[in-house]
Amino acid sequence: IFFCGNFILSPVFAAEPKAAPKAAEAKKAAEPDFDQFESESDKSKASKPAFDPLGGYNRLMFNVNDKFYFWVGKPLTKGYSFIVPQPARVAVARGFTNIGFPVRFVSSLFQGKFKGASSELARFTVNSTIGIAGLFDPADKWLNLKPSDEDLGQLMGYYDVGYGFPLVLPILGQSSLRD
């Protein structure tokens, strides 16, 4: 008798029938040729592991974050979404997007994306004044100015700064030195 997970198999069921090899050959012949991908998977297996001088710290922080999210973060977000109505949550999110203006502006400016930088400056000005500290987004509704999708990691990438080694930050999670 063989044990396989939660199942018990008798030797009668464990033996393959004689017709199985022919069926396997027929199935293989009917499938498209995947041999071209075998060499790629062999290369990935043979490559050396990524440089991670903070491996122990990263594993520890991953476990701390995992427990934090499960025991603290998830109950907090459920309570927050139960207590605070959706329009208020959206307004708070807009306010945090407005606070992120300096990072998007500098990143756009130093990448030479002057249209994006000027759009960010206009958005920040309109949303901070008319939009009451960014809680509302009149720049998008009235002027059709969308926020640019820029950050300092993209700026570093623009100037060919490498990723560096992986880093797991408390509460924030997985990142790299560049981000």
Side-chain angles (χ1 to χ4, degrees):
I1 296 177
F2 299 98
F3 293 93
C4 179
N6 293 332
F7 300 101
I8 300 174
L9 302 175
S10 69
V12 174
F13 294 116
E16 289 186 16
K18 293 182 180 180
K22 291 180 183 178
E25 289 174 11
K27 184 178 180 183
K28 187 175 180 181
E31 291 179 354
D33 187 22
F34 289 107
D35 292 337
Q36 63 184 350
F37 298 113
E38 287 181 14
S39 62
E40 291 176 16
S41 65
D42 293 342
K43 289 178 188 175
S44 66
K45 291 177 187 174
S47 65
K48 62 182 182 176
F51 177 65
D52 187 8
L54 300 176
Y57 166 80
N58 285 338
R59 284 189 291 281
L60 173 72
M61 269 304 113
F62 176 83
N63 289 326
V64 168
N65 286 343
D66 190 41
K67 300 302 180 207
F68 176 82
Y69 293 147
F70 184 76
W71 293 106
V72 178
K74 192 173 180 180
L76 273 176
T77 57
K78 285 188 174 190
Y80 175 73
S81 62
F82 179 75
I83 294 170
V84 179
Q86 185 180 8
R89 292 193 312 258
V90 170
V92 169
R94 283 191 209 116
F96 279 110
T97 300
N98 200 46
I99 291 171
F101 154 76
V103 172
R104 293 188 308 269
F105 177 73
V106 168
S107 182
S108 294
L109 191 65
F110 286 146
Q111 288 183 62
K113 298 179 179 178
F114 301 114
K115 184 178 179 184
S118 63
S119 172
E120 279 299 324
L121 183 61
R123 277 184 57 79
F124 180 72
T125 305
V126 170
N127 287 344
S128 294
T129 55
I130 300 170
I132 309 172
L135 297 178
F136 301 98
D137 196 0
D140 184 22
K141 289 182 181 177
W142 299 340
L143 304 174
N144 200 24
L145 294 173
K146 307 284 184 204
S148 63
D149 187 25
E150 303 294 333
D151 60 29
L152 294 179
Q154 291 174 336
L155 175 63
M156 301 285 189
Y158 181 79
Y159 288 104
D160 294 329
V161 174
Y163 282 104
F165 50 84
L167 177 65
V168 180
L169 300 170
I171 301 174
L172 299 176
Q174 182 85 18
S175 187
S176 68
L177 289 180
R178 184 172 95 177
D179 284 336

